[in-house]
Amino acid sequence: MTSEEIKTNVEKALDEIRPFLQSDGGDITLISIDNDSSVKVRLEGNCIGCSVNQMTLKSGVEMTIKKYVPQIEEVINIS
């Protein structure tokens, strides 16, 4: 997968999870993809102060991104 395909697929994954975050008053923005293996995102809105945002990040966001781009190794929230 090229870097452009990775970015496109990561965006598709974020588009899939975004409605769930928005329904709770949050959102997510892609910041960068490093070495085609590490995705940096920013949780926004109500997600910032949410006590379960790390669980959301790992169980929801990371799992969905890996479904679209299996070579992604980690997803990091940049606050």
Side-chain angles (χ1 to χ4, degrees):
M1 212 179 276
T2 67
S3 293
E4 191 57 40
E5 290 171 324
I6 290 170
K7 182 174 190 245
T8 298
N9 285 342
V10 167
E11 290 283 6
K12 285 180 188 175
L14 294 179
D15 286 343
E16 180 178 315
I17 197 127
R18 190 169 277 119
F20 298 102
L21 298 174
Q22 290 174 338
S23 71
D24 287 329
D27 208 344
I28 191 166
T29 301
L30 176 64
I31 302 301
S32 66
I33 302 170
D34 301 327
N35 302 319
D36 293 340
S37 65
S38 178
V39 176
K40 291 182 181 167
V41 296
R42 177 176 293 120
L43 291 170
E44 300 172 342
N46 285 344
C47 292
I48 294 170
C50 179
S51 62
V52 294
N53 71 8
Q54 283 306 309
M55 187 177 79
T56 299
L57 187 69
K58 293 297 175 186
S59 298
V61 177
E62 188 171 284
M63 189 174 74
T64 304
I65 288 174
K66 286 181 175 181
K67 180 174 77 173
Y68 283 84
V69 190
Q71 71 206 53
I72 295 298
E73 296 172 8
E74 64 180 345
V75 177
I76 302 165
N77 179 42
I78 304 299
S79 46

